[in-house]
């Protein structure tokens, strides 16, 4: 009986060891925030996908050692049950993604190191195109150093997208090849001007790093940074100045070339007195003229 219990314990040891390793392996947390004024459906590999209404967040835990992770925002989605479709960043019509999304989409890429000595590498890529502004920012960890700033793409490229690159819900990128020779320089310069921190062509070097174990936040539609792209968003119209009705002191004294200046009160009184007197004199003269004419006849 004792031998049977001993053999059972021996068989359980590998399973316990696997469970222990899984429990002790660290996962990196990505806080995904939707600051857009519309609903987005973030997708992640690994991780799946969710629906985020404006103001909502998604805490995504990614296993340490993930070598090719991706996060992007899908827009214009319609999911009925398990199936559906998205205007941008679609992944075979599934809410939980198992493959990369169809362009155009703004893509956050990352590679997570293993252990304290390895670094994480991450970037924002526009090679697949653009659909929403994005910030990919590390969360400072006390006692750790060596973390570079995160990439930002706060400009709204969709509103400034060249006509040749316009796509439903976003802006495509001509740099879809694996080499820089396939990339139109005028288009790559446009993306780089709008989002200087982004990885926008195959030979770009806009990659950032942080010590392994750093937490991150991905913000869709961050606050517009006017220093990056002053024309990214049309400025709000200036408020209308308060209009006050004109007073007699502010009214113009002349409206047109034939207008006369207002008469003074004393002048008005003189005219009021002379008018009837003049009329009486005129009538008297007319009466005398008629009288003399009749007398001569």
């Amino acid at each position: 009986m004792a031998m049977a219990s001993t053999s059972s314990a021996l068989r359980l040891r590998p399973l316990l060891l696997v469970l222990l390793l899984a429990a002790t392996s660290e996962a990196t947390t990505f806080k995904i925030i939707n600051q857009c004024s519309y609903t987005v459906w973030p997708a992640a590999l690994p991780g799946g996908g969710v629906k985020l209404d404006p103001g909502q967040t998604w805490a995504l835990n990614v296993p340490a050692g993930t070598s090719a992770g991706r996060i992007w925002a899908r827009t214009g989605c319609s999911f009925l049950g398990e199936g559906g479709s998205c205007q941008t960043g679609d992944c075979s019509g599934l809410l939980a993604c198992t493959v990369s999304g169809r362009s155009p989409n703004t893509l956050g890429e990352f590679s997570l190191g293993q252990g304290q000595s390895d670094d994480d590498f991450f970037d924002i890529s526009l090679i697949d195109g653009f659909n929403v502004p994005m910030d990919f920012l590390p969360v400072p960890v006390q006692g750790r150093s060596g973390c570079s700033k995160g990439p930002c793409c706060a400009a709204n490229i969709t509103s400034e997208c060249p006509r040749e690159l316009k796509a439903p819900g976003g802006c495509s990128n001509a740099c879809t090849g694996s080499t820089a020779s396939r990339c139109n320089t005028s288009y790559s310069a446009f993306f780089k001007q709008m989002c200087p921190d982004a990885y926008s062509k195959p030979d770009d070097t806009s990659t950032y790093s942080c010590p392994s174990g750093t937490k991150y936040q991905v913000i869709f539609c961050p606050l517009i940074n006017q220093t990056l792209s002053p024309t990214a968003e049309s400025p709000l119209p200036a408020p209308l100045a308060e209009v006050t009705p004109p007073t007699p002191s502010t009214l113009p004294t002349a409206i047109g070339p034939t207008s006369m200046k207002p008469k003074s009160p004393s002048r008005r009184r003189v005219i009021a007195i002379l008018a009837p007197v003049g009329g009486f004199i005129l009538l008297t003269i007319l009466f005398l003229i008629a009288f003399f004419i009749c007398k001569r006849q």
Side-chain angles (χ1 to χ4, degrees):
M1 195 73 177
M3 291 179 62
S5 61
T6 302
S7 61
S8 298
L10 290 174
R11 284 197 300 271
L12 287 174
R13 280 182 182 178
L15 177 60
L16 292 174
L17 182 60
V18 171
L19 292 175
L20 181 61
L21 290 173
T24 55
S25 63
E26 291 186 3
T28 298
T29 301
F30 292 83
K31 184 178 181 181
I32 303 171
I33 308 169
N34 179 20
Q35 289 187 355
C36 301
S37 59
Y38 47 85
T39 300
V40 297
W41 288 258
L45 288 176
V50 297
K51 174 185 176 181
L52 280 187
D53 289 325
Q56 291 185 333
T57 62
W58 175 29
L60 173 65
N61 293 320
V62 179
T66 300
S67 59
R70 294 184 156 204
I71 298 174
W72 67 95
R74 294 173 290 180
T75 55
C77 296
S78 175
F79 290 106
L80 300 174
E82 292 296 325
S85 63
C86 294
Q87 191 177 43
T88 64
D90 203 359
C91 43
S92 301
L94 299 176
L95 179 61
C97 294
T98 56
V99 295
S100 296
R102 186 184 66 219
S103 55
N105 58 71
T106 314
L107 188 63
E109 300 176 311
F110 58 89
S111 176
L112 304 179
Q114 299 179 1
Q116 297 296 324
S117 60
D118 295 331
D119 288 339
D120 298 340
F121 295 94
F122 55 100
D123 63 66
I124 292 178
S125 172
L126 300 181
I127 291 183
D128 287 341
F130 172 95
N131 65 328
V132 297
M134 175 192 291
D135 281 357
F136 196 153
L137 306 175
V139 179
V141 178
Q142 188 175 4
R144 292 190 179 184
S145 60
C147 194
S148 60
K149 72 181 184 72
C152 300
C153 182
N156 184 3
I157 292 178
T158 304
S159 63
E160 303 289 335
C161 183
R163 184 183 61 181
E164 296 85 354
L165 300 181
K166 279 195 178 293
C171 183
S172 299
N173 192 334
C175 307
T176 55
S178 58
T179 62
S181 61
R182 300 185 186 180
C183 183
N184 187 301
T185 55
S186 62
Y187 293 145
S188 63
F190 162 76
F191 280 97
K192 202 64 178 177
Q193 178 185 4
M194 299 295 280
C195 288
D197 295 340
Y199 185 93
S200 56
K201 56 183 180 178
D203 61 351
D204 210 331
T205 58
S206 299
T207 303
Y208 301 80
S209 63
C210 278
S212 176
T214 303
K215 300 182 187 304
Y216 302 91
Q217 63 179 8
V218 175
I219 306 173
F220 299 128
C221 300
L223 294 177
I224 296 298
N225 186 344
Q226 297 295 341
T227 60
L228 288 180
S229 176
T231 60
E233 290 283 349
S234 298
L236 294 175
L240 294 175
E242 185 177 353
V243 179
T244 57
T247 60
S249 61
T250 60
L251 285 173
T253 58
I255 301 176
T258 59
S259 300
M260 297 179 64
K261 292 184 179 180
K263 299 178 177 64
S264 63
S266 59
R267 192 173 179 183
R268 290 177 183 175
R269 284 195 296 269
V270 171
I271 293 175
I273 295 172
L274 293 179
V277 175
F280 176 76
I281 295 173
L282 179 61
L283 288 175
T284 302
I285 293 172
L286 291 175
F287 175 76
L288 292 174
I289 293 173
F291 174 76
F292 284 114
I293 291 174
C294 292
K295 189 175 180 180
R296 286 183 180 180
Q297 293 178 354

